[in-house]
Amino acid sequence: MPPHKTTTLLIEDSGFMRIILSDLLKSDPSIELLGTASNGLKGLEKIRQLRPDVIITDMVMPESDGLAVVKNVMQNNPKPVILLSSLEKEDPKVFEALLAGAFDFLNKEEVTKLAKQQQFPLNEMVKVAAGVSLGKLAGARGEKNTFEHSFDEQLRYEAIAIGASTGGPVAIEQLLNGLPANLNIPVIIAQHMPEQFLRSFAKRLDRVIPLRVKLAQQGEEPEGGTVYVLPGHKNSHVILDSHTNRPIFSFTRKKYREFNFPSIDGLFMSLAEVYGKKLIGIVLTGMGRDGTKGLQAIQQQRGFTIAQDEKSSVVFGMPKSAIDHKVINQVLALKEIPGFVVSCLA
């Protein structure tokens, strides 16, 4: 009996990109491309006819865009949807599509560039998406916590670090919404995402959660009550530099084993040096193992580490790696993490 192939449908308005992406998908013997469509309306019709395992759709298209496709699919025929977007377009609808249930998104130009180097992120994402539980895809923003918590003058912890990848934007928004509006320590986030989209992500979070959110800037010292999203500069990572008279965000070209931008390991290890036992490190949903080494460094400094549990993770890769390496103090469902973190601070 031949092995099961993951079936896909590609929706892309550019004929040139349809050819390139189709060839990439067909190059993998474990993936079957059932068909293509040139816009969202035609794509939805083919989804009904062909019933693919995974749908790949461009975000910006005439006659029903990627967001409309995701909403229609999740309402009528739930399937994992991978979004494709061009960095220069920086479409803010990407985040609405993720909240509506899209699995993840990729930059089209980066996909084709990496293929020339024999790296195939789209094909790998298709295979991971095919195995995801559909019930985990429709994200909940979480209730805003506008309650002003009574914090002691001297807290047990001085900073919170969060690392996430696939499924992270929705999980981060839900987690941050659950933190009190008067939280008086910094929250520093490394989310695997292209640089331009991280700017949009920070702006979006600043609009929708009670805390102030901004992109971390080189030379800036973290302040209490502010959420910092690390920029995703290619070929350099953002860390907290402790070799100055005050800890500041700084860029480094240091290479980390898990090749992601921004590096969760790099951030966590640098924060462990600065904050020691006064740091909480949290790893959320995502593919791969980034964050495990960093959480180990936090534990060695006697900080506290938390992993999102399998049931609430879109992809359990990063939390599972950290749990398997025994560098986690507490495993929690996503909705339980904000309250637990607040209880740790008192």
Side-chain angles (χ1 to χ4, degrees):
M1 186 176 182
H4 172 75
K5 291 187 176 184
T6 299
T7 58
T8 62
L9 177 77
L10 172 65
I11 309 172
E12 166 61 59
D13 63 330
S14 164
F16 177 67
M17 287 303 300
R18 279 202 305 277
I19 293 171
I20 292 176
L21 295 170
S22 294
D23 287 345
L24 287 178
L25 292 166
K26 290 175 182 177
S27 70
D28 193 319
S30 66
I31 296 174
E32 180 182 358
L33 180 62
L34 297 178
T36 65
S38 58
N39 63 51
L41 286 179
K42 292 179 180 177
L44 289 170
E45 180 59 34
K46 288 199 173 183
I47 290 167
R48 287 189 285 270
Q49 293 173 356
L50 301 175
R51 305 183 72 83
D53 297 324
V54 178
I55 299 152
I56 304 162
T57 182
D58 189 15
M59 274 301 298
V60 182
M61 298 179 293
E63 298 186 75
S64 192
D65 62 10
L67 175 58
V69 169
V70 171
K71 288 182 175 179
N72 187 292
V73 167
M74 298 311 293
Q75 181 176 351
N76 299 306
N77 184 28
K79 296 286 182 183
V81 181
I82 296 172
L83 309 172
L84 298 173
S85 190
S86 297
L87 287 182
E88 67 270 12
K89 293 177 182 175
E90 199 178 333
D91 188 356
K93 287 185 178 179
V94 163
F95 301 106
E96 286 299 321
L98 292 172
L99 281 165
F103 175 71
D104 206 345
F105 74 95
L106 289 168
N107 168 31
K108 286 188 286 188
E109 290 74 15
E110 187 71 9
V111 166
T112 57
K113 178 182 174 183
L114 288 173
K116 295 176 182 177
Q117 303 169 19
Q118 298 300 302
Q119 299 179 54
F120 304 97
L122 177 59
N123 294 4
E124 292 306 311
M125 189 173 286
V126 165
K127 288 180 276 191
V128 174
V132 74
S133 170
L134 294 172
K136 297 179 180 180
L137 292 177
R141 286 175 170 86
E143 293 295 323
K144 281 187 175 66
N145 183 354
T146 57
F147 175 72
E148 293 200 353
H149 191 85
S150 298
F151 291 112
D152 294 335
E153 189 172 324
Q154 186 66 39
L155 299 182
R156 291 177 59 192
Y157 296 95
E158 295 178 353
I160 300 166
I162 301 172
S165 187
T166 304
V170 175
I172 287 169
E173 185 170 325
Q174 185 174 338
L175 192 162
L176 294 178
N177 261 328
L179 294 177
N182 67 328
L183 183 73
N184 55 359
I185 61 174
V187 180
I188 306 171
I189 297 170
Q191 162 69 51
H192 294 162
M193 193 184 291
E195 180 180 356
Q196 288 90 331
F197 284 100
L198 284 164
R199 285 199 291 266
S200 294
F201 184 46
K203 289 177 183 176
R204 172 186 168 75
L205 289 175
D206 191 50
R207 291 196 308 270
V208 301
I209 73 163
L211 294 162
R212 176 188 182 225
V213 184
K214 68 186 301 292
L215 210 62
Q217 303 293 320
Q218 181 159 357
E220 183 176 21
E221 182 178 4
E223 295 180 355
T226 302
V227 177
Y228 296 90
V229 175
L230 296 196
H233 295 303
K234 204 66 176 170
N235 301 320
S236 65
H237 300 282
V238 180
I239 61 171
L240 201 62
D241 190 350
S242 60
H243 301 97
T244 56
N245 59 353
R246 58 189 178 90
I248 58 172
F249 290 111
S250 179
F251 292 100
T252 177
R253 290 188 176 274
K254 181 178 177 180
K255 302 294 184 184
Y256 298 97
R257 185 185 68 181
E258 304 303 322
F259 193 76
N260 297 292
F261 292 91
S263 169
I264 299 171
D265 279 334
L267 174 66
F268 283 6
M269 287 189 280
S270 69
L271 292 176
E273 285 188 27
V274 173
Y275 293 105
K277 65 180 182 179
K278 297 283 190 175
L279 176 65
I280 296 175
I282 305 170
V283 64
L284 300 178
T285 173
M287 293 188 285
R289 298 174 297 183
D290 198 8
T292 297
K293 286 288 186 184
L295 291 163
Q296 182 180 49
I298 293 172
Q299 265 205 348
Q300 287 172 347
Q301 295 289 341
R302 292 184 295 145
F304 197 87
T305 57
I306 298 170
Q308 184 178 353
D309 71 357
E310 182 174 9
K311 188 174 181 180
S312 65
S313 294
V314 173
V315 179
F316 193 48
M318 295 195 318
K320 183 179 187 302
S321 174
I323 294 166
D324 288 349
H325 283 81
K326 304 187 188 308
V327 295
I328 294 297
N329 295 114
Q330 189 75 37
V331 180
L332 295 166
L334 177 63
K335 65 181 181 180
E336 297 171 347
I337 295 176
F340 184 83
V341 167
V342 173
S343 71
C344 289
L345 296 177

